[in-house]
Amino acid sequence: MTELNFKRHRRLRQSATMRAMVKETYLHKEDFIYPIFVIDGENIKNPVDSMPGVYQFSLDRLSEEMDEVVSLGIPSVILFGLPAEKDEVGTQAFHDHGIVQEATRFIKKNYPDVVVIADTCLCEFTSHGHCGVVSEDHKILNDPSLDILAKTAVSQAQAGADIIAPSNMMDGFVAAIRKGLDEAGFEDVPIMSYAVKYASAYYGPFRDAADGAPKFGDRKTYQMDPSNRNEAMREATSDVEEGADFLIVKPALSYLDIVRDVRNNYDLPVVAYNVSGEYAMVKAAAINGWVNEKQIVLETLTGMKRAGADLIITYHAKDAVRWMEEK
Ligand code: PBG
Ligand code: ZN
């Protein structure tokens, strides 16, 4: 008989204990950031149809969600706001008593250990639904948007936000926000920049949840083309130079190569945003009984960490922590 020469990889897979010894990637509840939608009004807990398990909460019912988050040991939430009124420039985004500012105050008062991240954008607050200021001929204006974004960040910090997370994709937004925060005395408030954000169909369900769909056109003049990988490095480099403290890659699942690139090229914490459309697909399949939800979710989140993410913003966070503790 001719001798075969080959490697026996299966030696290390023989038993559960052996597999646990060689396991390379772990999920921890400290990895997760849970998104919460806060809506102006009273006694509201509105289900988001395209995101089963996700709700819009008014402030008076926010503790239902926060109690759960805290009892599960999830350290951080990111807030998105649905204001009572919208206008051309998104005044409610930077209003002292805007919905995100009030929700931040509520959480910091009642759950002081939770790290509150404020999403800093205008699309939920503008009548046109774009992330910046719009001209009469429907152009999204970069520089006039920066002042408003900086004002928004400062008002969020004043309300007690621990981290500012700008998602608007205007050029220079990190520089403008850093300057605004520093001048207002918030030099210790970090910026978690949506550094690499693609113009993605995976945001569809979010736009229902946050009522932030653009009323005309699309976001392709400010968000990135999904075809581009080198451009992701340019976007991340400029944010690092402007003073970002964390780098978000968004979406996550179709962009794990980018997560790895960012991990390999920068020494800042990398955050993968497991976005609404990714969540909706898993939920739809799970509800139909086509996939095992627990296994699919834990595998997906593990893949994001293996790709290089230090943190994951995910709507699955509460379920994931429960499942991780079952094992
Ligand atoms: C707003 C914003 C969006 C998301 C986070 N912040 C939508 C968009 O840019 O259109 C998407 C989040 C998700 O899909 O879960 N700038
Ligand atoms: Zn926006």
Side-chain angles (χ1 to χ4, degrees), residues 38-40 81-86 92-93 98-99 124-126 210-211:
V38 284
I39 186 165
D40 203 271
L82 293 91
E85 287 156 34
K86 304 188 189 224
Q92 286 300 314
I99 181 69
E124 293 126 50
F125 304 93
T126 50
D211 187 32

Side-chain angles (χ1 to χ4, degrees), residues 30-37 74 76-80 117-119 163 165-167 192-194 206 246-253 270-276 278-279 301 304-305 309-318:
E30 290 81 6
D31 301 335
F32 299 138
I33 298 167
Y34 187 63
I36 297 184
F37 299 96
I74 296 168
S76 180
V77 296
I78 181 165
L79 299 180
F80 299 96
I117 306 177
D119 183 87
I163 300 178
S167 62
M192 180 182 281
S193 174
Y194 288 72
F206 176 92
F246 301 79
L247 299 172
I248 302 179
V249 175
K250 177 184 174 189
L253 208 43
V270 175
V271 186
Y273 197 143
N274 177 209
V275 299
S276 58
E278 300 169 6
Y279 176 85
L301 298 173
M304 290 170 192
K305 281 208 75 183
D310 299 292
L311 295 163
I312 306 173
I313 303 173
T314 178
Y315 306 96
H316 294 294
K318 292 189 298 177

Side-chain angles (χ1 to χ4, degrees), residues 121 123 167 197 203 206-207 219 223 250 275-276 315:
C121 202
C123 52
S167 62
K197 180 172 176 181
Y203 307 151
F206 176 92
R207 292 180 187 173
R219 302 212 201 287
Q223 299 180 352
K250 177 184 174 189
V275 299
S276 58
Y315 306 96

Side-chain angles (χ1 to χ4, degrees), residues 14 21-22 100 114 119 128 210 219 222 293 320:
Q14 295 180 63
M21 290 168 72
V22 298
V100 169
V114 172
D119 183 87
H128 44 73
R219 302 212 201 287
Y222 45 109
E293 185 178 7

Side-chain angles (χ1 to χ4, degrees), residues 242-310:
E242 292 173 29
D245 299 284
F246 301 79
L247 299 172
I248 302 179
V249 175
K250 177 184 174 189
L253 208 43
S254 302
Y255 300 86
L256 293 180
D257 55 333
I258 309 298
V259 172
R260 173 48 59 187
D261 283 345
V262 172
R263 169 72 292 147
N264 287 351
N265 284 285
Y266 305 94
D267 57 6
L268 295 177
V270 175
V271 186
Y273 197 143
N274 177 209
V275 299
S276 58
E278 300 169 6
Y279 176 85
M281 293 194 303
V282 168
K283 280 289 183 184
I287 286 164
N288 276 289
W290 296 336
V291 294
N292 178 320
E293 185 178 7
K294 170 181 170 177
Q295 290 173 7
I296 285 268
V297 168
L298 295 180
E299 181 178 333
T300 302
L301 298 173
T302 299
M304 290 170 192
K305 281 208 75 183
R306 197 193 58 240
D310 299 292

